[in-house]
Amino acid sequence: MAFDIDMIKKVYENFPKRVDKAREVVGKPLTLSEKILYAHLWDGEPNTAFKRGKDYVDFAPDRIACQDATAQMALLQFMQAGKDKVAVPTTVHCDHLIQAKQGAAADLKRANETSSEVFDFLASVSNKYGIGFWKPGAGIIHQVVLENYAFPGGMMIGTDSHTVNAGGLGMVAIGVGGADAVDVMAGMAWELKFPKLIGVKLTGNISGWTAPKDVILKVAEILTVKGGTGAIVEYFGPGAKNLSCTGKGTICNMGAEIGATTSTFGYDESMERYLRATDRSDVADEANKIKEYLTADDEVYENPEQYFDQLIEIDLSTLMPHLNGPFTPDLATEVGTMTEKAKSNDWPLAVEWGLIGSCTNSSYEDLSRASSIAQQALDKKLKTKAEFGINPGSEQVRYTTERDGILDIFEKLDATIFTNACGPCIGQWARYEDPKNAPKNSIVHSFNRNFAKRADGNPNTHAFVASPEMTAAIAIAGRLDFNPMTDKLINEDGEEVMLDEPTGWELPPKGFEVKENGYVDPVVDGSDVEVIVAPDSERLELLTPFEPIGDEIKGAKLLIKAFGKCTTDHISMAGPWLRFRGHLDNISNNCLIGAVNAYNKQTNMVKNQLTGEFGGVPDTQRDYKAKGIKTIVVGDHNYGEGSSREHAAMEPRHLGVAAVLVKSFARIHETNLKKQGMLALTFDNEADYDLIQEDDTFNFLNLNEFAPDKPLNIEVVHADGSKDVIKTNHSYNDAQIAWYKAGSALNLIAKQNA
């Protein structure tokens, strides 16, 4: 039986009439994405046809999911909101704070010891406010959500950018910052700019070495890391129906890597099979009653060019396996064409690790297909040339794959089975004692991101993204340019052998099974539950509300002008810094330390205009703050790409940065800056980025007239006394300007609740 079946029934009860009304209001057939959006309006029945990419709209999500690294700050904020209980079903999942090192048992034991304070905090605050709690080792948030909470036609938000994974079960599931989640937890509307729509028509059938992973690796090549910004990607066509539910989840998951608001598929038989296999036949029965509403109208898929803002078509029958990377998930290479490309770019051809798992590819199907390659290695007397690591997606997947002998196959190949947790995917990997001085090398993994230093902290690690089965094959061969479709390997007997095509099971033939899934239900009345945060804790710190920046910014200094790609990993690194995610002041010591200074091309080395000396970004900014001087950060395109982590907005805000001025923003980060009461601005003329000099001072000329659609003009005073006035744009509406004036969105919520 499903969690929250009564809530799901209520959603389905309202769904048809709201969609019918929306179709009438819009005056044309609707895509699936539009149906879900219009069915979840805060005001109930639709009465307005919203403009895509223009109108801000209030929505009422059905549920919220938080992972332990982001949940700390989200729940610390919620504790300030003045509410006794969360207003919508919410869960917390402990998956980020478990470091991969020795193997599942030892790593989980160590995590429970080193992070007990944080886990105890999350358990108690969940218990107090009516939040479902998934213990360490229970699984990776997005796999657990897919197995337990996702449902066709639903809307959810989550404090992790890969919340979009639930699109594999036909949801509109969107990654947000903690402040957005707090709004919904507190019973308020959630605001989103009505997305544009990108349609991806899939024809043909996947076969051979090609996997669902290769669909999104191809889409990433086509759209690039910012091509999906402000849009929902909706997959359809006969090829879409031929994909498994977890395969669809993989495709939706990596939609975060193209900047998409989310991705989704229409309800079909593969979703029904998955719901029934995961003990949710009641949801499947209810979905079947309105299944024509849980996919786009027929006219949309018959004439997609009339209903989508952009259309892509991919023939799965001709799609080849891909390797994407290094250092960016949109640099695609077809398997079989790697040799010359790698040599010309000086990418190491020897592969040192193959890693399978993370929220992207850790399902039963993924592990079973990869294990078929591992079994061939055993049968054909091959040994892995690279080291091999496996992260099961959930305790249910782990238990079932262990029962069915799948994990045993990997272990016979000397693979390390890590905890059911994120591990290397998010930098929680104790690969090196000193990653900064580690050698140049290549790894291949089935994760979603491959930014520099992401997996192991080593800037010289070249990480390539591939399907689980391709990762297994390359780990066995030990070469980046291995093509299993054509290349032979030499076995222990000196014989030439080839790997056959992978095989596997969409769902476990004997069904899923688990002894202890790791879920803890909250008490009905949490009023007597005490949440303890030690005043001298290094890991947790109660929040103090931010003071408003105000309507006058004069004499602001440049903190850093970031050069090139500046992701949330550059602004607020993960890895060892995850331990401070609940302590704003301590984690602020990593603020922008990964951003490249445009003037000296170094990281964490900026000029202090007050002393003329160079130092780390956080130290320099703390000096400005101590002297009451506001600062601004300048950046390039797609600033804040990557994770949803709101620490990348909260840290500069805490340290005294007043504004971030860039060529363009990633969606979640722009919202996070707004929520924390900062100015998120874009150059009207991108060439003005080049005007900014190292010793500049900034005077905002018309901030007292801050209003929607009205540019803000900034006087830039250079060290030689010369001046430039630059025009900057913003996307604030009246409600968001109110956040700025209150000091943060949370300040406004607390005031309203008081």
Side-chain angles (χ1 to χ4, degrees), residues 12 23 164 215 218 242 266 273 285 313 330 364 456 474 538 547 563-564 570 572 586 676 694 726 730 736 739 753:
Y12 285 170
R23 196 183 290 112
V164 295
V215 176
K218 183 65 178 178
N242 293 330
R273 289 194 298 271
D285 292 341
E313 186 165 340
D330 58 352
Y364 185 91
D456 58 12
I474 289 175
E538 290 187 346
E547 292 293 328
F563 175 78
H570 295 87
S572 174
N586 282 347
Q676 301 305 333
E694 194 167 26
I726 62 174
H730 65 83
Q736 294 167 346
W739 302 341
N753 287 337

Side-chain angles (χ1 to χ4, degrees), residues 396-627:
Q396 178 166 269
V397 165
R398 189 210 65 78
Y399 189 92
T400 307
T401 51
E402 182 181 59
R403 179 201 68 190
D404 293 350
I406 289 172
L407 293 188
D408 183 57
I409 295 170
F410 290 123
E411 288 176 320
K412 285 177 180 175
L413 264 188
D414 294 326
T416 301
I417 310 299
F418 293 121
T419 316
N420 314 319
C422 304
C425 182
I426 56 156
Q428 284 285 57
W429 187 20
R431 183 183 180 193
Y432 297 113
E433 289 294 327
D434 181 11
K436 291 180 182 176
N437 295 311
K440 185 174 180 178
N441 73 102
S442 287
I443 65 173
V444 176
H445 59 57
S446 69
F447 308 158
N448 35 45
R449 293 203 172 122
N450 57 350
F451 303 141
K453 300 193 277 189
R454 169 123 182 143
D456 58 12
N458 177 8
N460 299 312
T461 292
H462 293 54
F464 295 83
V465 183
S467 68
E469 42 269 65
M470 188 57 62
T471 299
I474 289 175
I476 292 164
R479 285 185 61 85
L480 190 63
D481 58 349
F482 176 65
N483 180 357
M485 294 171 283
T486 59
D487 296 349
K488 295 177 180 178
L489 297 169
I490 306 297
N491 70 6
E492 293 175 1
D493 296 335
E495 301 168 335
E496 287 188 340
V497 296
M498 286 187 70
L499 296 174
D500 301 321
E501 293 177 355
T503 58
W505 294 274
E506 175 186 353
L507 296 162
K510 294 188 286 184
F512 283 109
E513 189 177 350
V514 65
K515 282 286 192 295
E516 169 55 56
N517 66 5
Y519 176 72
V520 180
D521 218 11
V523 295
V524 176
D525 180 4
S527 57
D528 293 332
V529 176
E530 186 176 5
V531 178
I532 299 174
V533 176
D536 60 347
S537 172
E538 290 187 346
R539 303 287 299 271
L540 296 164
E541 178 187 48
L542 295 175
L543 295 174
T544 301
F546 292 131
E547 292 293 328
I549 292 171
D551 61 3
E552 183 175 290
I553 300 176
K554 304 288 186 186
K557 300 296 185 183
L558 176 70
L559 174 61
I560 185 172
K561 177 178 173 180
F563 175 78
K565 187 186 282 282
C566 192
T567 71
T568 49
D569 277 5
H570 295 87
I571 305 167
S572 174
M573 289 185 175
W577 290 96
L578 283 170
R579 65 191 303 269
F580 297 123
R581 283 284 180 88
H583 197 295
L584 182 55
D585 193 58
N586 282 347
I587 199 170
S588 292
N589 288 322
N590 81 1
C591 183
L592 285 156
I593 64 175
V596 177
N597 183 348
Y599 304 107
N600 58 19
K601 300 303 187 289
Q602 295 183 47
T603 58
N604 204 29
M605 188 59 64
V606 296
K607 186 174 183 178
N608 183 330
Q609 292 190 40
L610 304 181
T611 65
E613 297 176 352
F614 284 80
V617 181
D619 294 336
T620 303
Q621 178 57 38
R622 287 185 188 275
D623 190 40
Y624 287 134
K625 182 180 181 181
K627 294 177 171 66

